[in-house]
Amino acid sequence: CDWSSDVCSSDLLCDDDNVCTSNDACDAAGACVGSAIDCSDGNGCTQDGCDPLTGCVSAPDVGAACDDGDLCTSGDTCDATGACLGTVVNCDDGNTCTVDSCDSLTGCVNAPDVGALCDDGDLCTNGDACDATGTCVGSPIVCSDGNDCTIDSCDPLTGCTKIGRAHV
């Protein structure tokens, strides 16, 4: 390689003065060329590149969509530090007979809260509790007053009712 004329012979090592290349060698035309280096940092929240004087550079890709790998978050975006962050999902199913939580790998979990006290909204039941399916159930109440002169019944909205029997 003739350094004064910057002319190289093929297959000789040289330096192209570019920190963004490696394995510099003379090509068949006599120019010193290198292979581009990989500046990828493996972070989807950065824009990666190379400055020929300083080398690899990475800048946060603020606001870019990403996936943080957590099923308990949604709307994941890149922040100013290059981190992927999302908003915590709401796993509340509105059922008082379930314990609501979230697992990062499987997502929302709504497990039955067996035995928890609840109100099934039916005035014809009592002892309401949550069952293994996450349903609030109660035991039927007895509305009979033992009087043969009344008709006893129960309405889920108003409870026990008694109607007098007329003798004919």
Side-chain angles (χ1 to χ4, degrees), residues 24-147:
D24 300 344
C26 299
D27 68 7
C32 184
V33 294
S35 302
I37 61 172
D38 180 11
C39 286
S40 175
D41 61 6
N43 181 346
C45 281
T46 58
Q47 294 179 350
D48 306 319
C50 193
D51 181 310
L53 299 176
T54 61
C56 292
V57 292
S58 295
D61 194 5
V62 178
C66 58
D67 183 358
D68 65 4
D70 185 344
L71 292 178
C72 294
T73 63
S74 66
D76 302 341
T77 58
C78 300
D79 73 3
T81 68
C84 182
L85 301 174
T87 304
V88 176
V89 296
N90 180 0
C91 290
D92 185 359
D93 63 1
N95 182 348
T96 59
C97 282
T98 59
V99 176
D100 306 320
S101 63
C102 195
D103 180 285
S104 295
L105 299 176
T106 60
C108 288
V109 178
N110 307 103
D113 193 6
V114 179
L117 298 179
C118 58
D119 183 357
D120 66 3
D122 184 343
L123 294 177
C124 295
T125 63
N126 64 11
D128 300 344
C130 301
D131 70 8
T133 66
T135 303
C136 184
V137 294
S139 300
I141 60 172
V142 177
C143 289
S144 175
D145 61 4
N147 183 346

